[in-house]
Amino acid sequence: MAIQYNESEQIFHLQSENMSYILQIVNGYPAHAYWGQKLRLTDRPRSYINLSGNLALDRLPQEYPQYGSGDFRHPAYQVRLEDGSRITELKYQGHRIFGGKPKLEGLPAVYAESEEEAETLELELRDEYSGLTVYLNYTVFQHADAVTRSARLVNSGTGPLGVMRALSASVDLPRSDLDMIYLAGTWAREGHLERRPLGSGGTVIESRRGVSGHQLNPFVALAEPGAGEEHGEVYSMSLVYSGSFAAQAEVDPFRSTRLSIGLNPFDFHWVLKPGEAFQTPEAVMVYSPAGLGAMSRTYHRLYRTRLSRGVHRDRERPILVNNWEGTYFDFTTEKIVSIAKAGAELGIELFVLDDGWFGKRDNDRSSLGDWTPDLRKLPGGLTDLADQVKALDMQFGLWVEPEMISPDSELYRQHPDWCLHVEGRRRTEARWQLVLDYSRADVREYIYQTLSGIFSTVPVSYIKWDMNRYLTEIGSVQSPPEQQAEIAHRYVLGLYELLERLTSEFPHILFENCSSGGGRFDPGMMYYMPQTWTSDNTDAVERLKIQYGTSLVYPVSSIGAHVSAVPNHQVGRMTPLKMRGDVAMSGNFGYELDLTQFTDEEKEIVKEQVRVYKEIRSLVQQGDLYRLLSPFEGGESAWMFVSADRKEALAFYFRVLAEPNAPERRLRLQGLHPDYDYRIEGESTEDVLPGDRLMRIGLPLPGLKGDYASAMFRLKAVEN
């Protein structure tokens, strides 16, 4: 049993394989008691909270705190009553414990495939004055050191309520000697790992952009000072949501820390009529006693196998070539087929036609919304092109950006009110485009009919779904004034509804999420699309940091990584094809260039890269990732992948700049079985070494020459 309830002390003990999460009802308030390494269940539990001490709300460690009745820290929720007051006080009414994990209405969430692998606690809280009822859901997984949390707010009263804040999870930790770790960046520089010590007051990471954003990811971790990849306690939260979010760590005067995550309360107000409910997104909380590496692997396994869905979840992902950086908007059927033919000769399995195939799309200033083939470029249309690609024994993929509309488009001329806008106000254009109002059912239905028509008639097996700008002038002419502050969230709910329809109706299509690269790389999108284009920056050196940082939360099976031409289109750097290949093979592998421009020597290198990746991709995409050397701490990077049975491993080492008289280097590996011997094949290396020696002394690195050097090592356990 994963959840134990002691009625006399009103203690709930949630227990996984290696973790305990304990809460207790104190004076009617759910109070946080413990989150950490697994504790024994006992038939005689004592109170975990000092009931004889100061029980003022400002000192009580709470699970879902309110504001206005004595707690001056940031609250988990806030509601405006019909009389204008904002005072509510939720008290415990009862609970349910049941097997499995319920779905969240209209929202993506982690799931359980059986009632045996997870157990759920539902707490019922109520404010008697207003009639507000809140249901807190906690699910603990038997074999994952994770707890998922969400809240459902129900108006059980007689008058309307205005929800001003509704976070998904809040935890009061009895310590403040912690570092805050998160992922930051911007376009072409996503996923950069940042770390800072906590101090008095609050530290907030957030998005107010309508999407999760390039700038900050909906994830936060608190780690012991000095905690690294292999040691130290880590507490973390990841939000399964694709819109504006907020994560906050607040250190109070008594040196406890309130950690929370959820919908951003900025510019948010949801009208809740009597009998209506509001469901928050889900927060996934992971505890690790063994550093950031163990935390990441918990997220990876959970998100890879119990967040991603569909037939592609466990399948090997195809090696692709995308024409974007090879042609941009300037292509013909003949040019596209020539790139596909070159790819087929090299063993590549999928061709993806990117932007420019529809309307009069000769640049990025027109035609979004006009999803009909441009017969000037493609005289035979999409079906003819797809058939020619498939005749080469390749799959056919297609780029779309269906959340956008160009002012210079037939769709906009017919429906200028279909975009997000406020009447009488300027409509901000970014990349010469506006955002369709996905809070409207008629807009979603038009996009559904348009895309399903393409998917039903064109033999497409892959869709790259792009979204190239943030939300501005967030308003909808179809919604009444009192609902205008709901539109940003309703947009996300509308997107999820559309994606659920399309991915359910076309399960054979592998959908890839993209938002100018990693602008919407979040768990919410992973529920519908098992992989994401990680960044528009394809430079191998920049990708070391981007892919390393992104892997803090997201499994490698979700990380798209391509080889592109040099000089690199984003930074102008010249890197060897060898290094570009090794970096890209550390994710979902592909090429983004004109393959017909390769020399014979380059073609042989690519042919070998494709051959090797087909041998290693199941290990890369489904294995356990261990980060060995951080690109944020020096000029070297390294990581490795290990099979579940630890009989096979793959290690990559990268060095950015050469140095004279460099010391002899050894790469200390992780995740191997100490009692196994491993045959090692790599750069000028073939040897058999014990697992314990490889992990404690390290693997001798070859003498690499020149800047931008890399090495790959394949390890297999040998029979004794």
Side-chain angles (χ1 to χ4, degrees), residues 543-586:
R543 272 299 188 113
L544 293 174
K545 290 183 177 179
I546 293 169
Q547 291 174 207
Y548 185 102
T550 300
S551 76
L552 200 65
V553 190
Y554 302 100
V556 172
S557 62
S558 69
I559 295 176
H562 296 172
V563 174
S564 63
V566 292
N568 176 263
H569 290 201
Q570 287 76 40
V571 299
R573 198 185 333 261
M574 298 285 292
T575 53
L577 187 52
K578 169 74 166 69
M579 184 186 185
R580 282 177 277 155
D582 285 348
V583 173
M585 283 195 284
S586 300

Side-chain angles (χ1 to χ4, degrees), residues 284-329:
V284 181
M285 303 167 51
V286 170
Y287 166 77
S288 166
L292 293 166
M295 177 206 72
S296 295
R297 287 185 288 278
T298 298
Y299 277 119
H300 294 174
R301 296 183 193 115
L302 195 62
Y303 284 177
R304 188 177 66 238
T305 65
R306 293 298 181 269
L307 180 63
S308 293
R309 302 175 299 160
V311 298
H312 297 285
R313 185 190 76 177
D314 302 322
R315 286 183 182 173
E316 293 181 352
R317 307 290 166 74
I319 302 171
L320 66 83
V321 57
N322 181 301
N323 69 293
W324 177 241
E325 289 193 14
T327 67
Y328 292 108
F329 296 101

Side-chain angles (χ1 to χ4, degrees), residues 493-508:
L493 295 178
L495 171 64
Y496 289 157
E497 179 193 89
L498 176 63
L499 292 178
E500 184 68 33
R501 290 182 73 183
L502 290 171
T503 56
S504 298
E505 187 169 337
F506 301 97
H508 68 283

Side-chain angles (χ1 to χ4, degrees), residues 576-633:
L577 187 52
K578 169 74 166 69
M579 184 186 185
R580 282 177 277 155
D582 285 348
V583 173
M585 283 195 284
S586 300
N588 288 324
F589 186 46
Y591 294 84
E592 187 146 340
L593 39 67
D594 184 352
L595 296 173
T596 66
Q597 300 299 308
F598 274 141
T599 65
D600 289 342
E601 181 182 0
E602 288 172 327
K603 288 179 181 178
E604 290 304 311
I605 295 173
V606 170
K607 192 178 294 185
E608 178 65 8
Q609 288 175 342
V610 170
R611 182 194 69 79
V612 169
Y613 191 73
K614 288 178 180 179
E615 294 180 355
I616 66 173
R617 65 178 154 190
S618 63
L619 181 57
V620 171
Q621 296 168 7
Q622 304 292 329
D624 288 332
L625 173 69
Y626 291 82
R627 294 180 294 265
L628 307 178
L629 295 173
S630 171
F632 297 101
E633 298 175 1

